[in-house]
């Protein structure tokens, strides 16, 4: 079993996290959420103020910050390239501000060419979080065509013997056909591509991928493995590991959130009870876990060895909140509970502890990869994307 051994630097981060005076805040310390509409207005205003400081640069699409606090961007190939345009589209959708729309168009244009890239499973993140949001906000035919093209490209990574889309082409010495729980997040683009084209091939791939993942990724307690490796001759799952979690048998927090969100989406498009049940089981795992802090911002891994002296992952909280705020619509009996859980996250994220004021970020204290020692305890753009989405979803009845 692979176990992550922290470096001196990581131990220092963990000690700092433990020293934080607000670590493990009691329930009563989390203020009631202010009106999400007010928050979205405030975030739109903050973004408008940031835009003049953000020269358009296809090689510097916002991703995170450097240790000195300066912006760290990426080119369009990064799996995170769709999130900044996607935030702009969402804030435009909310505010109808033309400057936000122009910025969203300009930053999305940098990402468009990724629709051809057959070498990655992250096309949903790159293309659907940008052009899918453009489609939702404007019903623009070009935006639709871009994500349909990306869905065709992503479909080439599907292996019918395995019944899943291949995630990574890297780490060939470790895995032959790795599928990661994160890949559940790429299915929405496929389902939507069938909806807008009538071509059911995308739907069948997405549905089968969700079924295969359901069969192989989950443990008896409904937590999930991060990576499952498949034999492409027999289709059998041959190895179950982690890449970003604490250990192969641990529950990496963002992975649990990807699963919750991903199965909720699979239910949205298929109406199949197994997907709804899986989303609910994951929600129960996350939100009744004894290691979940009372402010509902999880540690980076539910089994991280030094809890409560471990870093939180705000991105996992934001993804889970957004997932819950959709899931509540499908399960009247749990709707109140899911809304309360999501609201507790949003209330926590609105506090000074988690708010960030470094352009163009809204939240701090996310974790990219502790084993990989990158983006540890920083603002990360995808946390902001799902935070904005959760606030928008909390406006719905
Ligand atoms: N999909 C990559 C991550 O969640 O870090």
């Amino acid at each position: 079993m692979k176990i992550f051994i922290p470096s001196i630097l990581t131990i220092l981060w963990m000690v700092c996290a433990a020293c934080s005076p607000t670590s493990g805040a009691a329930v009563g310390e989390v203020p009631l959420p202010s009106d999400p509409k007010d928050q979205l207005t405030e975030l739109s205003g903050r973004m408008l103020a940031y835009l003049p400081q953000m020269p358009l640069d296809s090689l510097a699409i916002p991703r995170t910050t450097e240790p000195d606090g300066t912006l760290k961007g990426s080119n369009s190939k990064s799996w995170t390239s769709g999130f900044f345009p996607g935030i702009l589209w969402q804030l435009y959708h909310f505010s109808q501000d033309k400057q936000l729309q122009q910025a969203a168009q300009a930053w999305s244009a940098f990402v468009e060419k990724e629709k051809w890239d057959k070498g990655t499973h992250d096309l949903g993140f790159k293309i659907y979080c940008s052009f899918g949001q453009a489609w939702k906000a404007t019903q623009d035919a070009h935006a639709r065509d871009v994500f349909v093209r990306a869905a065709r490209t992503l479909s080439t990574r599907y292996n019918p013997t395995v019944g899943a889309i291949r995630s990574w082409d890297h780490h060939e010495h470790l895995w032959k056909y790795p599928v990661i729980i994160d890949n559940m997040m790429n299915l929405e683009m496929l389902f939507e591509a069938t909806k807008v084209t009538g071509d059911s091939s995308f739907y069948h791939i997405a549905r089968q991928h969700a079924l295969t993942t359901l069969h192989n990724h989950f443990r008896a307690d409904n937590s999930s493995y991060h990576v499952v490796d498949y034999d492409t001759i027999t289709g059998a799952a041959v190895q179950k590991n982690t890449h970003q979690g604490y250990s192969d048998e641990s529950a990496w927090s963002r992975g649990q959130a990807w699963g919750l969100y991903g199965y909720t989406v699979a239910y949205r498009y298929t109406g199949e009870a197994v997907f709804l049940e899986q989303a609910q089981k994951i929600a129960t795992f996350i939100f009744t876990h004894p290691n979940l802090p009372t402010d509902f911002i999880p540690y980076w891994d539910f089994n991280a060895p030094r809890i409560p002296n471990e870093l939180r992952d705000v991105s996992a909280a934001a993804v889970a909140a957004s997932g819950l705020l959709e899931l509540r619509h499908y399960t009247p009996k749990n709707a109140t509970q899911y809304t309360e859980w999501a609201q507790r996250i949003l209330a926590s994220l609105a506090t000074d502890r988690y708010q960030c004021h470094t352009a163009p970020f809204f939240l701090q204290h996310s974790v990219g990869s502790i084993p990989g020692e990158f983006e540890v305890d920083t603002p990360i753009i995808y946390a902001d994307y799902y935070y904005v989405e959760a606030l928008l979803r909390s406006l719905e009845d």
Side-chain angles (χ1 to χ4, degrees):
M1 183 172 83
K2 194 172 101 186
I3 291 197
F4 158 63
I5 306 198
S7 69
I8 298 286
L9 193 55
T10 309
I11 290 168
L12 269 176
W13 275 317
M14 289 166 173
V15 170
C16 288
C19 295
S20 167
T22 47
S23 184
V27 183
E29 291 172 39
V30 177
L32 285 172
S34 62
D35 185 342
K37 219 181 224 170
D38 294 345
Q39 289 186 55
L40 285 160
T41 303
E42 198 262 329
L43 294 179
S44 303
R46 247 200 266 175
M47 187 56 82
L48 281 166
Y50 289 153
L51 286 178
Q53 308 167 41
M54 311 251 333
L56 284 171
D57 182 348
S58 65
L59 303 180
I61 304 168
R63 175 170 174 146
T64 183
T65 53
E66 301 282 9
D68 68 1
T70 54
L71 174 68
K72 183 175 180 186
S74 70
N75 63 21
S76 62
K77 241 184 150 37
S78 161
W79 78 274
T80 62
S81 63
F83 293 116
F84 184 61
I87 291 167
L88 295 168
W89 279 120
Q90 293 189 90
L91 293 177
Y92 163 66
H93 200 175
F94 168 74
S95 66
Q96 294 296 301
D97 185 287
K98 291 285 170 213
Q99 258 180 285
L100 288 170
Q101 183 187 27
Q102 280 161 11
Q105 264 159 349
W107 287 95
S108 296
F110 295 147
V111 184
E112 180 176 340
K113 63 176 181 292
E114 298 306 319
K115 68 188 177 188
W116 301 109
D117 186 2
K118 293 183 178 165
T120 176
H121 76 136
D122 284 323
L123 286 179
F125 285 125
K126 296 181 203 182
I127 298 292
Y128 199 68
C129 292
S130 50
F131 287 90
Q133 289 293 354
W135 169 243
K136 277 184 222 163
T138 64
Q139 296 289 290
D140 171 56
H142 177 70
R144 179 200 59 209
D145 294 347
V146 172
F147 80 75
V148 170
R149 176 65 259 174
R152 288 197 200 291
T153 304
L154 181 59
S155 299
T156 64
R157 295 182 68 79
Y158 179 73
N159 179 321
T161 306
V162 173
I165 298 161
R166 181 184 181 125
S167 290
W168 297 324
D169 294 343
H170 53 78
H171 289 85
E172 277 170 289
H173 59 295
L174 289 179
W175 302 299
K176 297 281 174 279
Y177 195 94
V179 178
I180 64 174
I181 189 67
D182 322 27
N183 207 340
M184 285 299 298
M185 299 297 286
N186 294 308
L187 305 185
E188 184 173 2
M189 180 171 75
L190 296 176
F191 283 126
E192 192 65 23
T194 287
K195 196 171 152 192
V196 299
T197 62
D199 176 348
S200 62
S201 64
F202 307 117
Y203 178 99
H204 291 303
I205 289 172
R207 175 179 178 271
Q208 187 55 54
H209 181 101
L211 285 171
T212 303
T213 300
L214 197 156
H215 190 66
N216 293 312
H217 258 81
F218 290 90
R219 308 183 182 99
D221 66 357
N222 301 307
S223 67
S224 84
Y225 289 94
H226 184 198
V227 189
V228 174
D229 191 30
Y230 290 91
D231 180 328
T232 53
I233 308 295
T234 64
V238 288
Q239 259 197 95
K240 301 188 180 188
N241 303 115
T242 196
H243 187 54
Q244 283 158 269
Y246 165 63
S247 74
D248 288 344
E249 292 301 326
S250 73
W252 173 51
S253 295
R254 195 162 56 256
Q256 312 315 303
W258 292 144
L260 164 57
Y261 190 115
Y263 278 100
T264 303
V265 169
Y267 179 72
R268 183 204 307 164
Y269 287 96
T270 63
E272 288 181 54
V274 281
F275 296 141
L276 178 60
E277 282 158 18
Q278 193 61 30
Q280 291 179 287
K281 285 177 186 172
I282 301 168
T284 302
F285 174 84
I286 295 174
F287 290 95
T288 64
H289 198 287
N291 286 345
L292 183 68
T294 53
D295 69 358
F296 277 23
I297 311 302
Y299 297 101
W300 67 280
D301 190 301
F302 282 93
N303 305 105
R306 292 166 199 82
I307 288 173
N309 301 330
E310 295 279 359
L311 292 170
R312 308 298 188 87
D313 181 10
V314 156
S315 75
V319 173
S322 188
L324 279 176
L325 288 169
E326 175 170 4
L327 185 58
R328 68 185 170 145
H329 297 305
Y330 307 142
T331 162
K333 116 175 135 50
N334 295 321
T336 305
Q337 178 70 90
Y338 292 168
T339 305
E340 278 173 15
W341 287 344
Q343 277 178 345
R344 187 173 316 177
I345 290 175
L346 291 177
S348 298
L349 295 182
T351 61
D352 287 346
R353 179 177 183 182
Y354 297 111
Q355 287 286 305
C356 173
H357 293 279
T358 303
F361 299 100
F362 297 147
L363 298 173
Q364 57 184 345
H365 298 314
S366 287
V367 165
S369 175
I370 285 196
E373 298 194 357
F374 62 84
E375 293 159 4
V376 175
D377 198 18
T378 58
I380 309 186
I381 199 69
Y382 46 88
D384 294 358
Y385 174 94
Y386 291 101
Y387 175 49
V388 170
E389 186 180 72
L391 288 170
L392 284 167
R393 287 179 170 184
S394 63
L395 297 177
E396 298 160 4
D397 290 334

